Amino acid sequence: MKKRWIALGVVAALGAGGYWGFQANKYRLPGLVQDWRDPVQPNRAVVWQQGPAKAPVSPLDGKRRPNIILIVADDLGYNDISLNGGGVGGGIVKTPNIDALAREGVNFTTAYAANATCSPSRAAMMTGRYPTRFGFEFTAVPVQFAENLAHGEGVGPLKSVFHKDLITPALPDYPDMGVPASEVTIAEAVKAAGYHTLHIGKWHLGESPSLQPQAQGFDESLAVLGGAAMFMAEDDPGVVNAKLPWDRIDRFIWANLRYAVTFNGSKRFQPQGHMTDYFAAEAIKAIEANRNRPFFMYLAFNAPHTPLQATKADYDRLPQIKDHKTRVYGAMIAQLDRRIGDVMAKLKEQGIDDDTLVIFTSDNGGAWYNGIERLNAPFRGWKATFFEGGIRTPFFMRWPGGIAPGTQRADVTGHLDIFSTIAAAAGAAAPKDRTIDSQNILAGPARRPAMFWRSGDYRAVRAGGWKLQVTKRPEKARLYNLAVDPTEQKDLAASDPQRVAALRAMIEAQNKGMAKPIWPGLIEGPVRIDVPLNAPWQDGQDYIYWSN
C-alpha cells in the first residue's frame, strides 16, 4: 500500500508539471487517491428491505410499538430556524416544518450538543455516553487535512498549531478513527428489541468496515461515511455554488470531496439530484417499506454543512437576500425544511404518524468559517467553541400518541439523553456493564448535577445556572451566570474566584473518569468568539483555540 501511495504521488506530480506543480496541488491528493482506490460509479437504485404486509401488535397490551426517527441537521445554527423569531437573511427564510416539530410536541429550550463539533456529538447520540469516556475526544480528520489547515495564514497574530510530533506509528489510520466496536449503539440496542434499523445520511463515526453503520447495529445504511460530501456535481446546470475563499477547510472540501454515497458498504456511487432531496426521497421510500413493522431511522442530513450548494430553483426563490453566500445558505435551509416536511407528510399518508416518535436536533452550532453573521444569535460563539452558540442546539420531540403538543421544558438536556429516551420508547435495554450518561427525558426532567464538555485543554461545565469555560490558548477562565446572563456577556471569573475553583474541581473530578484519546488532536486553530472567519482582525477580539 505504501508503494501505491508513492507511485500515485509521483504520477500526480508529473501530471501537474513536476515538483512545483505537485507542491501547488498536493492538497488534492487525498481525493485523487480515493478516486483511484474507489472510483465513483454511476447512480443505481437503492432497494430497501420490505417489511411484513400487516402491522404486528404487542402481545402485552395490543398496541403497536412506536417507530422512531432521529433527524439530525449538520451545523444548523440556533438562529437558522424561525421558531424563535429568527431565520436566515434577517428572518426572510422561514422553517415552518421544523418549527412544527416543536409546536406539535415538546421543545427543550435548554438543550445542548454533546460537543461543539460533529463527530464527537454523533458518538454521544449513538452511545448515550460522553464521547470522552471511550476516547472519542476529537473529530476524526485525515493527516493531510490537518496539515493543509496548519499552513494557513491564521487570523491576525493568531496562527494555527500543527502537532507534527503526534504523527507516530501509533496513530490510527483515518478510516479506523471511529466509535469502537465494543461500544453499544442505540441501533444495536433497539435491534435487539426487535426493531428494523435504518441509517440514511452522514456517518462520520469510522469508515473501516468494522466501524461502518452496518457493523454498528444498522440493518441498512445509505451513507456519506466521512464528514461531508458534495451536494451536487460542481458543474451541474441546476446547482448554485458559493465558495469561501477565506476558508482553507472549504478549499480542501471542493478539491477532495465527491458527489457520492455508499449503500451497505458498497462501492461509492452517485446519488440523484441534490443530496438533501436524495436523502429525503430515500427516507420516504424506506418508511413505505417498513410501515408495517417497528423501525428506527437515523436520518442524518449533511445540510447546511459546507460546501454551500443550493438548487437553482431554491436560490431563485430568495432574491431578497443580496449577499450571494447567505442566499445559497438560506436556500439550503429552506430546502432542508421542505424535505423534512415531506418526510412528516409520508408518515401521515402511511397512517403511522401517531405511532412515530420524531426527534430533531443539530450536531452543533453554526460554523464561523461560513462568513455569515448571527447564525447562532442571540448567543455568542460558533461551532468549535463551548460558548452557547457552539453547543446550544434546537432539540424537539414529536409523538402524537405519546407527547402533548405545545409542551416546553427548560431542564438541561440534549444529545446525551437521546439514547435512553429512544431505548425506553422502544422497550430496549441499556447496557449495564458501563456508565451510561443518558437519561430517559420522556419519563420526566433530566436530573444531573452538571453537564461537561472537553476537547483537549479546552474544558467547560454547566452546573445549575453557572457555567465555566477553561482554556490554555489563551490561559483563561471564563465564568458566566446563565440564569441572569444567558448570552455570556459578563465574565465573572475575576470577581468570584471561589466559584471558579469549585467548578474547576468538578471538571477535574469528571476528567478522572474519562479515557485517553484514541487519536490526538493534530491541529489547534483560532476561533474568534464574536465575528465570523472573514471579518477583519481587530486587537482585543476574544478567541479560543480548538483542536481538530
Side-chain angles (χ1 to χ4, degrees):
M1 181 58 67
K2 191 171 183 179
K3 291 180 179 179
R4 291 180 179 178
W5 274 79
I6 295 172
L8 187 62
V10 171
V11 171
L14 293 174
Y19 175 79
W20 295 112
F22 170 67
Q23 289 299 316
N25 291 280
K26 66 180 181 179
Y27 68 95
R28 298 178 181 272
L29 269 180
L32 294 173
V33 170
Q34 182 71 353
D35 289 343
W36 177 65
R37 296 175 62 186
D38 186 13
V40 179
Q41 307 296 321
N43 175 259
R44 65 179 181 83
V46 171
V47 180
W48 299 98
Q49 298 173 28
Q50 294 293 312
K54 185 178 180 180
V57 295
S58 167
L60 298 177
D61 56 15
K63 294 182 180 179
R64 172 177 173 153
R65 289 185 292 170
N67 308 305
I68 302 164
I69 302 178
L70 171 59
I71 302 175
V72 179
D74 198 356
D75 290 0
L76 183 76
Y78 190 88
N79 197 41
D80 283 344
I81 62 175
S82 52
L83 178 69
N84 300 314
V88 177
I92 290 173
V93 180
K94 305 298 182 184
T95 54
N97 296 291
I98 295 174
D99 298 352
L101 297 176
R103 294 193 175 112
E104 295 172 7
V106 55
N107 176 9
F108 295 94
T109 60
T110 315
Y112 287 97
N115 192 270
T117 53
C118 45
S119 200
S121 276
R122 294 164 193 269
M125 291 186 224
M126 289 295 102
T127 64
R129 285 154 53 86
Y130 285 108
T132 45
R133 283 204 187 277
F134 49 92
F136 202 125
E137 185 155 347
F138 306 109
T139 290
V141 298
V143 170
Q144 298 94 334
F145 176 85
E147 188 174 14
N148 176 66
L149 295 187
H151 293 161
E153 297 78 18
V155 179
L158 309 176
K159 305 303 179 184
S160 298
V161 180
F162 182 47
H163 296 287
K164 191 173 182 178
D165 58 302
L166 298 179
I167 302 176
T168 68
L171 180 68
D173 291 336
Y174 169 68
D176 296 324
M177 296 178 183
V179 172
S182 57
E183 290 298 311
V184 177
T185 70
I186 188 58
E188 290 171 320
V190 299
K191 182 176 181 177
Y195 274 67
H196 190 72
T197 53
L198 305 144
H199 165 255
I200 298 174
K202 177 171 171 175
W203 181 239
H204 208 191
L205 296 175
E207 297 186 23
S208 67
S210 64
L211 301 179
Q212 290 182 18
Q214 63 275 11
Q216 297 276 40
F218 287 96
D219 293 308
E220 302 177 86
S221 171
L222 178 64
V224 169
L225 290 176
M230 304 303 291
F231 290 92
M232 299 177 75
E234 182 179 350
D235 58 355
D236 190 299
V239 73
V240 179
N241 303 311
K243 295 186 178 181
L244 311 176
W246 54 83
D247 179 29
R248 294 182 72 86
I249 294 176
D250 196 61
R251 179 186 178 190
F252 188 92
I253 284 174
W254 286 95
N256 292 286
L257 298 191
R258 302 295 183 254
Y259 176 57
V261 293
T262 180
F263 185 57
N264 295 339
S266 72
K267 295 292 185 181
R268 296 187 301 171
F269 61 92
Q270 289 187 347
Q272 190 170 39
H274 192 282
M275 193 77 80
T276 298
D277 289 332
Y278 178 69
F279 285 150
E282 292 300 330
I284 286 169
K285 286 169 54 180
I287 289 169
E288 290 177 341
N290 291 279
R291 65 188 180 277
N292 288 326
R293 63 179 167 190
F295 66 85
F296 165 58
M297 177 184 291
Y298 173 33
L299 178 53
F301 289 102
N302 55 326
H305 195 295
T306 50
L308 300 186
Q309 293 185 289
T311 66
K312 188 175 185 300
D314 282 309
Y315 183 84
D316 289 346
R317 293 188 183 103
L318 297 172
Q320 316 95 303
I321 301 178
K322 303 306 179 184
D323 178 69
H324 175 67
K325 67 181 179 304
T326 305
R327 185 172 172 182
V328 171
Y329 186 85
M332 294 172 72
I333 298 291
Q335 177 192 32
L336 175 66
D337 179 78
R338 182 177 67 251
R339 296 319 306 252
I340 288 174
D342 292 340
V343 171
M344 299 305 296
K346 177 56 64 172
L347 296 175
K348 294 180 181 179
E349 177 191 296
Q350 296 296 312
I352 56 176
D353 182 56
D354 285 351
D355 300 318
T356 302
L357 167 62
V358 176
I359 303 172
F360 175 83
T361 191
S362 176
D363 55 353
N364 45 249
W368 80 102
Y369 47 75
N370 285 343
I372 303 172
E373 295 182 350
R374 296 185 58 77
L375 293 183
N376 302 308
F379 301 114
R380 298 178 67 202
W382 310 89
K383 170 185 179 177
T385 79
F386 291 146
F387 280 80
E388 296 289 283
I391 53 177
R392 194 77 166 259
T393 184
F395 190 43
F396 316 137
M397 294 187 186
R398 179 189 181 275
W399 181 11
I403 297 174
T407 303
Q408 284 202 5
R409 294 216 340 228
D411 44 313
V412 177
T413 180
H415 292 169
L416 279 176
D417 294 329
I418 288 173
F419 183 101
S420 289
T421 301
I422 290 177
K432 298 186 184 304
D433 62 345
R434 64 199 69 193
T435 299
I436 298 295
D437 300 296
S438 189
Q439 299 181 18
N440 172 19
I441 51 176
L442 289 182
R447 300 187 182 280
R448 53 172 58 87
M451 188 174 283
F452 298 90
W453 297 266
R454 187 178 90 178
S455 182
D457 291 326
Y458 186 14
R459 287 97 188 264
V461 59
R462 173 168 178 162
W466 290 91
K467 180 179 172 186
L468 179 71
Q469 299 186 56
V470 180
T471 57
K472 284 288 182 71
R473 296 178 191 267
E475 188 82 35
K476 189 172 183 179
R478 298 174 175 90
L479 177 68
Y480 301 100
N481 182 357
L482 298 182
V484 298
D485 180 22
T487 59
E488 297 171 296
Q489 301 295 324
K490 187 175 181 180
D491 181 1
L492 302 174
S495 61
D496 197 347
Q498 288 185 325
R499 196 178 301 274
V500 169
L503 292 173
R504 276 185 184 271
M506 292 181 71
I507 290 174
E508 292 309 312
Q510 170 78 358
N511 284 338
K512 291 178 181 178
M514 302 299 108
K516 179 182 177 181
I518 304 172
W519 59 89
L522 291 178
I523 184 170
E524 294 180 70
V527 181
R528 289 174 291 170
I529 306 305
D530 298 308
V531 295
L533 180 58
N534 58 339
W537 168 262
Q538 294 181 9
D539 290 341
Q541 288 177 334
D542 200 3
Y543 67 94
I544 58 92
Y545 268 70
W546 184 263
S547 295
N548 274 27

PDB file of all heavy atoms in Angstrom, residues 12 48 60 85 94 109 125 204 294 306 330 345 380 433-434 440 456 509:
ATOM      1  N   ALA A  12       0.936  11.989  -9.968  1.00  0.00           N
ATOM      2  CA  ALA A  12       0.257  13.281  -9.798  1.00  0.00           C
ATOM      3  C   ALA A  12       1.233  14.431  -9.970  1.00  0.00           C
ATOM      4  O   ALA A  12       0.916  15.451 -10.583  1.00  0.00           O
ATOM      5  CB  ALA A  12      -0.403  13.349  -8.421  1.00  0.00           C
ATOM      6  N   TRP A  48     -34.772  -0.984  -0.616  1.00  0.00           N
ATOM      7  CA  TRP A  48     -34.897  -1.207   0.822  1.00  0.00           C
ATOM      8  C   TRP A  48     -35.614  -2.523   1.092  1.00  0.00           C
ATOM      9  O   TRP A  48     -36.531  -2.905   0.369  1.00  0.00           O
ATOM     10  CB  TRP A  48     -35.664  -0.049   1.472  1.00  0.00           C
ATOM     11  CG  TRP A  48     -34.979   1.266   1.301  1.00  0.00           C
ATOM     12  CD1 TRP A  48     -35.250   2.221   0.367  1.00  0.00           C
ATOM     13  CD2 TRP A  48     -33.881   1.768   2.071  1.00  0.00           C
ATOM     14  NE1 TRP A  48     -34.398   3.290   0.497  1.00  0.00           N
ATOM     15  CE2 TRP A  48     -33.547   3.043   1.537  1.00  0.00           C
ATOM     16  CE3 TRP A  48     -33.148   1.275   3.146  1.00  0.00           C
ATOM     17  CZ2 TRP A  48     -32.516   3.820   2.059  1.00  0.00           C
ATOM     18  CZ3 TRP A  48     -32.115   2.048   3.663  1.00  0.00           C
ATOM     19  CH2 TRP A  48     -31.811   3.300   3.125  1.00  0.00           C
ATOM     20  N   LEU A  60     -48.648  -7.837  24.745  1.00  0.00           N
ATOM     21  CA  LEU A  60     -48.928  -7.433  26.121  1.00  0.00           C
ATOM     22  C   LEU A  60     -50.142  -6.519  26.225  1.00  0.00           C
ATOM     23  O   LEU A  60     -51.025  -6.729  27.052  1.00  0.00           O
ATOM     24  CB  LEU A  60     -47.692  -6.745  26.714  1.00  0.00           C
ATOM     25  CG  LEU A  60     -46.431  -7.616  26.811  1.00  0.00           C
ATOM     26  CD1 LEU A  60     -45.267  -6.791  27.353  1.00  0.00           C
ATOM     27  CD2 LEU A  60     -46.684  -8.824  27.705  1.00  0.00           C
ATOM     28  N   GLY A  85     -38.333  33.463  16.246  1.00  0.00           N
ATOM     29  CA  GLY A  85     -38.268  34.778  15.624  1.00  0.00           C
ATOM     30  C   GLY A  85     -37.041  34.998  14.778  1.00  0.00           C
ATOM     31  O   GLY A  85     -36.780  36.115  14.324  1.00  0.00           O
ATOM     32  N   LYS A  94     -38.056  31.159   6.236  1.00  0.00           N
ATOM     33  CA  LYS A  94     -38.882  30.550   7.278  1.00  0.00           C
ATOM     34  C   LYS A  94     -38.682  29.031   7.270  1.00  0.00           C
ATOM     35  O   LYS A  94     -38.389  28.431   6.236  1.00  0.00           O
ATOM     36  CB  LYS A  94     -40.363  30.868   7.051  1.00  0.00           C
ATOM     37  CG  LYS A  94     -40.677  32.360   6.945  1.00  0.00           C
ATOM     38  CD  LYS A  94     -40.327  33.109   8.221  1.00  0.00           C
ATOM     39  CE  LYS A  94     -40.690  34.579   8.117  1.00  0.00           C
ATOM     40  NZ  LYS A  94     -40.267  35.358   9.321  1.00  0.00           N
ATOM     41  N   THR A 109     -35.945  23.782  25.639  1.00  0.00           N
ATOM     42  CA  THR A 109     -35.377  25.110  25.396  1.00  0.00           C
ATOM     43  C   THR A 109     -33.973  25.294  25.967  1.00  0.00           C
ATOM     44  O   THR A 109     -33.336  26.316  25.699  1.00  0.00           O
ATOM     45  CB  THR A 109     -36.296  26.192  25.978  1.00  0.00           C
ATOM     46  OG1 THR A 109     -36.436  25.978  27.390  1.00  0.00           O
ATOM     47  CG2 THR A 109     -37.671  26.146  25.326  1.00  0.00           C
ATOM     48  N   MET A 125     -24.619  10.754  20.741  1.00  0.00           N
ATOM     49  CA  MET A 125     -26.001  10.385  20.401  1.00  0.00           C
ATOM     50  C   MET A 125     -26.145   8.880  20.238  1.00  0.00           C
ATOM     51  O   MET A 125     -27.132   8.280  20.677  1.00  0.00           O
ATOM     52  CB  MET A 125     -26.416  11.058  19.090  1.00  0.00           C
ATOM     53  CG  MET A 125     -26.584  12.552  19.152  1.00  0.00           C
ATOM     54  SD  MET A 125     -27.247  13.160  17.573  1.00  0.00           S
ATOM     55  CE  MET A 125     -26.211  14.603  17.312  1.00  0.00           C
ATOM     56  N   HIS A 204     -19.649   9.646   9.764  1.00  0.00           N
ATOM     57  CA  HIS A 204     -18.512  10.312  10.406  1.00  0.00           C
ATOM     58  C   HIS A 204     -18.141   9.687  11.744  1.00  0.00           C
ATOM     59  O   HIS A 204     -17.661  10.369  12.650  1.00  0.00           O
ATOM     60  CB  HIS A 204     -18.790  11.813  10.571  1.00  0.00           C
ATOM     61  CG  HIS A 204     -17.540  12.641  10.569  1.00  0.00           C
ATOM     62  ND1 HIS A 204     -17.516  13.972  10.913  1.00  0.00           N
ATOM     63  CD2 HIS A 204     -16.249  12.323  10.250  1.00  0.00           C
ATOM     64  CE1 HIS A 204     -16.302  14.446  10.819  1.00  0.00           C
ATOM     65  NE2 HIS A 204     -15.503  13.467  10.416  1.00  0.00           N
ATOM     66  N   PRO A 294     -42.045  -2.151  13.432  1.00  0.00           N
ATOM     67  CA  PRO A 294     -41.378  -1.060  14.155  1.00  0.00           C
ATOM     68  C   PRO A 294     -39.977  -0.828  13.593  1.00  0.00           C
ATOM     69  O   PRO A 294     -39.204  -1.775  13.415  1.00  0.00           O
ATOM     70  CB  PRO A 294     -41.331  -1.560  15.597  1.00  0.00           C
ATOM     71  CG  PRO A 294     -41.456  -3.045  15.499  1.00  0.00           C
ATOM     72  CD  PRO A 294     -42.288  -3.321  14.289  1.00  0.00           C
ATOM     73  N   THR A 306     -20.895  22.940   4.877  1.00  0.00           N
ATOM     74  CA  THR A 306     -20.227  23.200   3.612  1.00  0.00           C
ATOM     75  C   THR A 306     -19.911  21.885   2.902  1.00  0.00           C
ATOM     76  O   THR A 306     -19.786  20.849   3.568  1.00  0.00           O
ATOM     77  CB  THR A 306     -18.923  23.987   3.843  1.00  0.00           C
ATOM     78  OG1 THR A 306     -18.157  23.330   4.854  1.00  0.00           O
ATOM     79  CG2 THR A 306     -19.220  25.416   4.236  1.00  0.00           C
ATOM     80  N   GLY A 330     -29.224  30.175   2.797  1.00  0.00           N
ATOM     81  CA  GLY A 330     -30.649  30.242   3.086  1.00  0.00           C
ATOM     82  C   GLY A 330     -31.461  29.291   2.221  1.00  0.00           C
ATOM     83  O   GLY A 330     -32.428  28.680   2.692  1.00  0.00           O
ATOM     84  N   ALA A 345     -45.048  14.270   6.110  1.00  0.00           N
ATOM     85  CA  ALA A 345     -46.279  14.019   5.350  1.00  0.00           C
ATOM     86  C   ALA A 345     -46.405  12.537   4.996  1.00  0.00           C
ATOM     87  O   ALA A 345     -47.517  11.986   4.972  1.00  0.00           O
ATOM     88  CB  ALA A 345     -46.298  14.877   4.091  1.00  0.00           C
ATOM     89  N   ARG A 380     -23.459  34.028  21.862  1.00  0.00           N
ATOM     90  CA  ARG A 380     -22.091  34.225  21.398  1.00  0.00           C
ATOM     91  C   ARG A 380     -21.494  32.863  21.025  1.00  0.00           C
ATOM     92  O   ARG A 380     -21.871  31.831  21.552  1.00  0.00           O
ATOM     93  CB  ARG A 380     -21.230  34.868  22.475  1.00  0.00           C
ATOM     94  CG  ARG A 380     -21.655  36.253  22.923  1.00  0.00           C
ATOM     95  CD  ARG A 380     -20.751  36.761  24.036  1.00  0.00           C
ATOM     96  NE  ARG A 380     -19.383  36.991  23.561  1.00  0.00           N
ATOM     97  CZ  ARG A 380     -18.313  37.018  24.345  1.00  0.00           C
ATOM     98  NH1 ARG A 380     -18.440  36.800  25.651  1.00  0.00           N
ATOM     99  NH2 ARG A 380     -17.112  37.255  23.832  1.00  0.00           N
ATOM    100  N   ASP A 433     -23.099  -2.857  31.941  1.00  0.00           N
ATOM    101  CA  ASP A 433     -21.703  -3.128  32.283  1.00  0.00           C
ATOM    102  C   ASP A 433     -20.809  -1.907  32.125  1.00  0.00           C
ATOM    103  O   ASP A 433     -19.588  -2.019  32.123  1.00  0.00           O
ATOM    104  CB  ASP A 433     -21.174  -4.263  31.408  1.00  0.00           C
ATOM    105  CG  ASP A 433     -21.191  -3.924  29.924  1.00  0.00           C
ATOM    106  OD1 ASP A 433     -21.865  -2.938  29.533  1.00  0.00           O
ATOM    107  OD2 ASP A 433     -20.536  -4.642  29.142  1.00  0.00           O
ATOM    108  N   ARG A 434     -21.400  -0.712  31.997  1.00  0.00           N
ATOM    109  CA  ARG A 434     -20.621   0.511  31.784  1.00  0.00           C
ATOM    110  C   ARG A 434     -21.448   1.699  32.244  1.00  0.00           C
ATOM    111  O   ARG A 434     -22.672   1.594  32.425  1.00  0.00           O
ATOM    112  CB  ARG A 434     -20.252   0.663  30.313  1.00  0.00           C
ATOM    113  CG  ARG A 434     -21.464   0.843  29.405  1.00  0.00           C
ATOM    114  CD  ARG A 434     -21.141   0.526  27.958  1.00  0.00           C
ATOM    115  NE  ARG A 434     -20.899  -0.899  27.783  1.00  0.00           N
ATOM    116  CZ  ARG A 434     -20.353  -1.447  26.694  1.00  0.00           C
ATOM    117  NH1 ARG A 434     -19.959  -0.673  25.695  1.00  0.00           N
ATOM    118  NH2 ARG A 434     -20.172  -2.750  26.605  1.00  0.00           N
ATOM    119  N   ASN A 440     -33.718   9.011  30.358  1.00  0.00           N
ATOM    120  CA  ASN A 440     -34.982   8.988  29.618  1.00  0.00           C
ATOM    121  C   ASN A 440     -35.771  10.244  29.959  1.00  0.00           C
ATOM    122  O   ASN A 440     -36.398  10.332  31.005  1.00  0.00           O
ATOM    123  CB  ASN A 440     -35.780   7.736  29.968  1.00  0.00           C
ATOM    124  CG  ASN A 440     -37.190   7.763  29.374  1.00  0.00           C
ATOM    125  OD1 ASN A 440     -37.470   8.513  28.425  1.00  0.00           O
ATOM    126  ND2 ASN A 440     -38.078   6.954  29.931  1.00  0.00           N
ATOM    127  N   GLY A 456      -9.414  18.430  24.326  1.00  0.00           N
ATOM    128  CA  GLY A 456      -8.034  18.753  24.668  1.00  0.00           C
ATOM    129  C   GLY A 456      -7.976  19.582  25.946  1.00  0.00           C
ATOM    130  O   GLY A 456      -8.572  19.236  26.968  1.00  0.00           O
ATOM    131  N   ALA A 509     -12.626  16.361  38.575  1.00  0.00           N
ATOM    132  CA  ALA A 509     -13.217  15.097  39.043  1.00  0.00           C
ATOM    133  C   ALA A 509     -13.830  14.331  37.871  1.00  0.00           C
ATOM    134  O   ALA A 509     -13.704  13.099  37.782  1.00  0.00           O
ATOM    135  CB  ALA A 509     -14.272  15.392  40.110  1.00  0.00           C
TER     136      ALA A 509
END
